[in-house]
C-alpha cells in the first residue's frame, strides 16, 4: 500500500511540473484550448461536456497537484497503521479528480459532475473516523452544501430555456440565474450564513483538512465566482457579496481569538481568507483574488501539516491550553509552523504579504464606504492577534498533559520543506508572473503604512487576549466562539424537516411495509393453495404473469 502512495505522489508531482509549464506557455502565447463533446441532443437542447484549458485553470490544477503530491507523502507516515488506508487513498484521489474536473469546466452540466463529486466525497472523508462527532459533522457538512447544490441545479433548469448551459451565453439580464450560481458559490466557500460546516469538517483526518482548506472544496466556490465574475458585476449580486464577505471576515477573525481547538483556529483562518477573496471578487478584481487563492493554498496546507504532527505529539489532544514549548520536541515542524503563520499574517516579503498588501492598496484606491474600510482593516488585524495568541500557547506555555514520544520523520519533513520554500518564495514569483506589465500604485506614505500600523495594532489585541482571561465574560465568549449561534439557527431550520421525515418514516413503517407484506404473503399463500387444486390461486397467478408480460413487452417496444 505504501508503494502505491509513493507512485501516486510521484505521478502527481510530475503532473504539477507539466501543468505549470503548460500554464506559462499558454499565458505568454495568449492561447487556450477548448474541447467539446456532445453527449446527446433533445429538441434544440444540446447536452455537452466542455473542457476549457486556459492559463488560469491549468495553473490552478498544477497547484492542486503539487499540494496533493506532498500530502500523499505526508500521509504515508501520518496514516501509518490505519486499517482502512486503501479506502482513504481512493477517496483522496477521487477528491482531487473531482476538483480537476470542476476547474476545467466552463459548462454548468460538467461543473455539476465535479461539484457533486466534491460534496459526496467530502462527506465520506469527514465521517472517515466512525464516531458520533464525525457523523454529526458529516451531516451538517452535507446538508449545508446541498443548499448550494440546489442553487446550481436550479440555475441549470433556468438555463434550459436558453438552449445551452455554457457560461458564455449569460448576460446582465439573467439576474435570477446569477443569483442561483452566487448561492452555490457562497455555500461551498462557507460565507455567512452557511459558515457552520467549515469548523465542523475538522473531524476529517488532518491530511484531508490540509487538502480541503488549501486547494479543494472551499476554493471551489471562489473559483466558480472567478469564472462568473465579469457577469456578476453587472447583475447587482456583487453588492450583496461584498457585505456578506466582509461580515464573514470579521466574524471568523473574532471567533478565532476565543477558540481553543488547534485545528478549528486554522479552519477559521481559512474562513477569514475566503472572505477576503470573495470581498476583492465583489469589487471586480478577479486576478487579485486568484493570486491570493494560490499563495494562500501553499501556506495553509503547510499549517495543517504542522498541526497534525503537533496533535500526534500531544497524544491526539487538540486543546492549545494543554500544550507548550513544543519547539523543544519537534523543532523543524515548529519552524515551518512559525514561517507559515507569519505568511498568513502578511509579514513583509513572505508569500501572504505580496497578495494581501496589493489587495489592501487596491481597496484604498477605490471609493469605498469608510465604515466598511475600517471593518476590513480590523478584520485583518484579527489575523495577527489570533496567530500571536496561538504562538503564545504553543511556544511559551507550559505543557499540561502527557505526550507521546514522537520523532520527526524525514519523509514528512521533505513534504513540508517543499511547501516551506514555496511559502517564502511563491508570493514574489507569482507577482512577477501575473503583474509584470501592470502600472504601479502611487499613494501617500501614511496611506501606504496604514496596513502595517493596523497589523501592529493586531499585536496589541493579541496581547490583551493573553493578559485578560476572557472566560470572565463567559456568555459573550460562548456567543463569539459558537459562530454567533448560527448552528442553532440551522437546528431550527432543519427541525421541521426532521419532523416531516419522522412522520414519513412512521407512515412507511405502519402502512407501506405492513400492507405490502400482507398482500405478498396472501399471494404466496394463494399460489400454494393453487398447487393443492384451488382455482382462486390459479387466477391470481395468471394475473401476475400477464402484468409482468405486458410490462416486458412495453419495455421492448420502447
Amino acid at each position: 500500500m505504501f508503494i502505491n502512495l509513493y507512485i501516486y505522489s510521484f505521478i502527481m508531482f510530475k503532473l504539477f511540473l507539466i501543468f505549470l509549464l503548460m500554464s506559462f506557455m499558454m499565458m505568454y502565447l495568449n492561447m487556450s484550448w477548448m474541447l467539446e463533446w456532445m453527449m446527446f441532443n433533445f429538441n434544440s437542447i444540446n447536452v455537452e461536456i466542455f473542457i476549457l484549458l486556459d492559463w488560469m485553470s491549468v495553473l490552478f490544477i498544477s497547484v492542486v497537484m503539487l499540494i496533493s503530491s506532498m500530502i500523499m507523502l505526508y500521509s504515508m507516515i501520518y496514516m501509518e497503521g490505519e486499517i482502512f488506508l486503501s479506502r482513504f487513498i481512493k477517496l483522496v484521489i477521487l477528491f482531487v479528480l473531482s476538483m480537476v474536473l470542476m476547474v476545467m469546466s466552463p459548462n454548468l452540466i460538467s461543473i455539476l459532475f465535479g461539484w457533486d463529486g466534491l460534496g459526496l466525497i467530502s462527506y465520506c472523508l469527514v465521517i472517515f473516523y466512525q464516531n458520533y462527532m464525525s457523523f454529526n459533522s458529516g451531516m451538517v457538512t452535507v446538508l449545508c452544501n446541498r443548499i448550494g447544490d440546489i442553487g446550481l441545479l436550479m440555475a441549470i433548469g433556468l438555463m434550459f430555456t436558453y438552449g445551452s448551459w455554457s457560461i458564455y451565453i449569460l448576460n446582465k439580464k439573467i439576474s435570477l440565474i446569477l443569483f442561483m450560481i452566487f448561492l452555490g458559490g457562497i455555500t461551498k466557500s462557507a460565507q455567512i450564513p452557511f459558515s457552520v460546516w467549515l469548523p465542523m469538517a475538522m473531524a476529517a483526518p488532518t491530511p484531508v483538512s490540509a487538502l480541503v482548506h488549501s486547494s479543494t472544496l472551499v476554493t471551489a466556490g471562489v473559483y466558480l465566482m472567478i469564472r462568473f465574475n465579469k457577469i456578476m458585476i453587472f447583475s447587482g449580486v456583487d453588492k450583496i457579496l461584498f457585505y456578506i464577505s466582509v461580515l464573514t471576515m470579521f466574524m471568523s477573525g473574532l471567533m478565532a481569538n476565543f477558540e481553543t481547538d488547534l485545528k478549528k483556529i486554522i479552519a477559521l483562518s481559512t474562513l477569514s481568507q475566503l472572505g477576503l477573496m470573495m470581498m476583492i471578487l465583489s469589487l471586480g478584481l478577479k486576478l487579485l483574488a486568484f493570486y491570493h487563492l494560490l499563495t494562500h493554498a501553499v501556506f495553509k496546507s503547510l499549517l495543517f501539516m504542522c498541526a497534525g504532527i503537533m496533535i500526534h505529539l500531544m497524544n491526539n489532544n487538540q486543546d492549545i491550553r494543554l500544550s507548550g514549548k513544543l519547539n523543544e520536541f519537534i523543532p523543524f515542524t515548529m519552524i515551518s509552523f512559525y514561517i507559515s503563520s507569519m505568511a498568513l499574517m502578511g509579514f513583509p516579503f513572505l508569500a501572504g504579504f505580496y497578495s494581501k498588501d496589493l489587495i489592501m492598496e487596491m481597496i484604498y484606491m477605490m471609493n469605498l464606504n469608510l465604515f466598511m474600510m475600517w471593518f476590513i482593516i480590523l478584520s485583518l488585524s484579527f489575523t495577527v492577534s489570533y496567530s500571536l495568541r496561538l504562538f503564545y500557547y504553543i511556544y511559551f506555555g507550559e505543557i499540561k498533559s502527557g505526550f507521546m514520544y514522537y520523532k520527526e520523520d524525514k519523509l514528512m519533513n521533505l513534504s513540508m520543506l517543499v511547501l516551506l520554500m514555496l511559502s517564502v518564495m511563491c508570493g514574489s514569483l507569482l507577482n512577477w508572473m501575473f503583474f509584470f506589465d501592470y502600472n504601479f500604485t502611487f499613494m501617500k506614505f501614511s496611506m501606504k503604512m496604514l496596513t502595517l500600523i493596523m497589523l501592529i495594532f493586531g499585536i496589541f489585541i493579541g496581547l490583551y487576549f493573553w493578559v485578560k482571561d476572557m472566560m470572565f465574560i463567559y456568555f459573550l465568549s460562548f456567543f463569539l466562539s459558537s459562530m454567533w449561534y448560527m448552528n442553532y439557527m440551522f437546528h431550527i431550520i432543519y427541525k421541521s424537516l426532521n419532523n416531516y421525515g419522522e412522520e414519513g418514516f412512521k407512515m412507511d413503517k405502519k402502512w407501506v411495509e405492513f400492507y405490502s407484506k400482507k398482500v405478498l404473503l396472501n399471494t404466496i399463500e394463494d399460489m400454494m393453495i393453487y398447487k393443492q387444486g384451488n382455482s382462486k390461486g390459479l387466477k391470481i397467478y395468471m394475473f401476475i404473469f400477464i402484468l409482468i408480460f405486458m410490462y416486458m413487452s412495453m419495455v421492448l417496444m420502447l
Side-chain angles (χ1 to χ4, degrees):
M1 193 54 64
F2 286 121
I3 296 168
N4 290 349
L5 272 170
Y6 265 125
I7 294 165
Y8 293 139
S9 178
F10 181 68
I11 290 168
M12 285 178 175
F13 193 74
K14 280 182 74 174
L15 286 171
F16 152 68
L17 293 173
I18 292 164
F19 280 118
L20 187 66
L21 292 171
M22 271 179 67
S23 68
F24 288 158
M25 182 188 74
M26 286 178 162
M27 186 177 186
Y28 293 122
L29 296 178
N30 194 19
M31 61 183 286
S32 58
W33 296 331
M34 180 178 275
L35 307 173
E36 181 183 353
W37 175 42
M38 192 173 79
M39 297 173 71
F40 61 91
N41 62 336
F42 175 71
N43 291 344
S44 61
I45 301 291
N46 293 333
V47 179
E48 299 161 330
I49 293 215
F50 275 97
I51 290 175
L52 173 67
L53 292 175
D54 60 347
W55 73 268
M56 195 178 275
S57 60
V58 172
L59 183 61
F60 191 53
I61 290 167
S62 73
V63 171
V64 170
M65 287 298 170
L66 171 68
I67 292 170
S68 305
S69 67
M70 293 301 113
I71 285 168
M72 282 288 187
L73 274 182
Y74 177 85
S75 302
M76 286 181 64
I77 310 302
Y78 188 88
M79 302 297 284
E80 196 175 15
E82 178 60 47
I83 303 168
F84 304 110
L85 185 62
S86 61
R87 181 173 63 185
F88 173 79
I89 296 164
K90 287 166 189 169
L91 284 171
V92 168
I93 290 167
L94 282 171
F95 198 60
V96 172
L97 290 175
S98 298
M99 188 66 197
V100 169
L101 177 63
M102 190 243 145
V103 165
M104 292 192 300
S105 305
N107 183 297
L108 275 181
I109 292 285
S110 45
I111 282 173
L112 189 71
F113 286 129
W115 191 270
D116 267 346
L118 284 170
L120 177 64
I121 297 160
S122 66
Y123 174 67
C124 296
L125 286 167
V126 168
I127 62 166
F128 184 79
Y129 295 132
Q130 294 168 10
N131 51 47
Y132 282 109
M133 181 186 167
S134 298
F135 172 73
N136 291 332
S137 302
M139 287 308 294
V140 170
T141 301
V142 78
L143 287 173
C144 280
N145 277 303
R146 283 318 287 170
I147 298 168
D149 297 348
I150 289 163
L152 212 61
L153 285 165
M154 289 179 76
I156 288 170
L158 289 165
M159 284 181 75
F160 190 83
T161 56
Y162 289 90
S164 174
W165 284 285
S166 177
I167 62 173
Y168 301 113
I169 68 145
L170 290 178
N171 56 36
K172 59 184 178 181
K173 296 175 185 175
I174 319 170
S175 54
L176 185 59
I177 293 175
L178 290 171
F179 182 76
M180 292 301 166
I181 293 165
F182 158 77
L183 183 66
I186 64 166
T187 310
K188 196 67 94 176
S189 289
Q191 303 297 297
I192 283 178
F194 307 108
S195 309
V196 181
W197 70 266
L198 194 74
M200 294 190 80
M202 290 296 97
T206 306
V208 174
S209 302
L211 194 58
V212 163
H213 285 259
S214 60
S215 55
T216 56
L217 193 64
V218 293
T219 56
V222 177
Y223 188 81
L224 188 74
M225 302 297 275
I226 287 170
R227 281 291 187 209
F228 285 90
N229 187 252
K230 196 176 284 185
I231 312 154
M232 287 282 172
I233 301 303
F234 298 114
S235 63
V237 173
D238 56 327
K239 294 180 180 63
I240 307 168
L241 183 61
F242 178 74
Y243 291 112
I244 284 176
S245 56
V246 172
L247 194 60
T248 306
M249 277 174 69
F250 181 77
M251 184 266 300
S252 54
L254 189 60
M255 184 179 163
N257 281 297
F258 292 89
E259 188 57 62
T260 55
D261 189 310
L262 175 60
K263 281 178 74 175
K264 279 191 179 176
I265 291 171
I266 304 173
L268 289 165
S269 77
T270 304
L271 189 54
S272 176
Q273 299 307 306
L274 287 170
L276 182 64
M277 291 173 211
M278 285 293 195
M279 183 263 297
I280 199 71
L281 266 174
S282 67
L283 298 172
L285 302 169
K286 69 171 185 179
L287 201 59
L288 263 180
F290 186 62
Y291 176 36
H292 188 58
L293 179 65
L294 297 182
T295 53
H296 169 260
V298 175
F299 57 74
K300 188 49 62 71
S301 56
L302 181 59
L303 269 173
F304 270 107
M305 285 178 170
C306 298
I309 295 173
M310 284 187 244
I311 290 163
H312 265 206
L313 178 76
M314 295 295 296
N315 203 5
N316 297 328
N317 199 329
Q318 298 184 21
D319 197 328
I320 58 171
R321 294 170 297 184
L322 303 179
S323 63
K325 292 188 172 55
L326 299 185
N327 49 318
E328 295 177 6
F329 306 104
I330 40 174
F332 179 77
T333 304
M334 297 316 293
I335 289 167
S336 304
F337 186 80
Y338 181 70
I339 291 173
S340 54
S341 293
M342 296 291 271
L344 173 68
M345 284 191 273
F347 191 80
F349 312 115
L350 293 178
F353 165 75
Y354 288 93
S355 54
K356 288 176 93 170
D357 198 58
L358 193 55
I359 285 169
M360 291 312 296
E361 283 177 9
M362 293 305 292
I363 286 171
Y364 297 150
M365 304 277 281
M366 288 180 176
N367 188 17
L368 279 185
N369 184 345
L370 190 63
F371 177 73
M372 295 307 291
M373 180 85 76
W374 281 109
F375 226 65
I376 293 163
I377 296 170
L378 187 61
S379 304
L380 283 181
S381 64
F382 282 147
T383 309
V384 180
S385 66
Y386 65 69
S387 298
L388 288 174
R389 175 175 172 264
L390 196 54
F391 285 164
Y392 170 72
Y393 280 111
I394 288 171
Y395 286 91
F396 305 113
E398 291 294 330
I399 197 159
K400 300 180 185 67
S401 68
F403 62 93
M404 298 168 66
Y405 173 71
Y406 188 83
K407 190 178 178 182
E408 288 183 315
D409 190 85
K410 288 179 183 175
L411 201 60
M412 287 175 113
N413 286 357
L414 174 66
S415 64
M416 288 159 61
L417 183 64
V418 174
L419 295 174
L420 178 63
M421 289 191 296
L422 283 171
S423 294
V424 177
M425 296 188 301
C426 77
S428 54
L429 291 173
L430 289 172
N431 195 4
W432 297 332
M433 179 185 170
F434 284 10
F435 309 112
F436 69 94
D437 57 348
Y438 269 41
N439 297 324
F440 286 105
T441 51
F442 290 99
M443 56 183 69
K444 289 181 183 177
F445 181 74
S446 56
M447 188 72 97
K448 176 78 175 170
M449 296 303 290
L450 180 61
T451 311
L452 193 61
I453 291 162
M454 286 306 293
L455 293 182
I456 294 166
F457 174 65
I459 296 172
F460 291 108
I461 297 174
L463 284 167
Y464 179 77
F465 284 129
W466 297 348
V467 175
K468 280 276 187 188
D469 186 7
M470 299 305 284
M471 290 303 287
F472 74 93
I473 41 172
Y474 176 74
F475 289 108
L476 178 62
S477 62
F478 180 71
F479 167 72
L480 292 171
S481 64
S482 63
M483 284 219 161
W484 299 357
Y485 297 148
M486 268 195 285
N487 44 0
Y488 298 108
M489 180 188 77
F490 273 93
H491 175 70
I492 293 162
I493 292 167
Y494 287 125
K495 190 176 179 183
S496 55
L497 295 174
N498 289 337
N499 289 340
Y500 282 124
E502 191 178 349
E503 290 300 318
F505 176 71
K506 284 177 184 175
M507 188 181 76
D508 181 46
K509 198 172 180 181
K510 288 176 184 175
W511 290 87
V512 181
E513 287 189 18
F514 177 74
Y515 284 105
S516 62
K517 195 186 294 181
K518 193 173 180 182
V519 168
L520 185 65
L521 286 172
N522 286 343
T523 307
I524 293 167
E525 188 180 348
D526 289 337
M527 285 170 65
M528 294 299 290
I529 293 167
Y530 157 69
K531 286 185 177 178
Q532 296 171 7
N534 193 334
S535 61
K536 183 186 173 185
L538 178 62
K539 287 174 186 174
I540 292 170
Y541 182 76
M542 288 300 292
F543 178 69
I544 293 168
F545 178 79
I546 289 163
L547 279 177
I548 293 169
F549 179 77
M550 285 172 66
Y551 175 73
M552 290 299 291
S553 57
M554 282 172 68
V555 168
L556 289 169
M557 283 170 68
L558 288 170

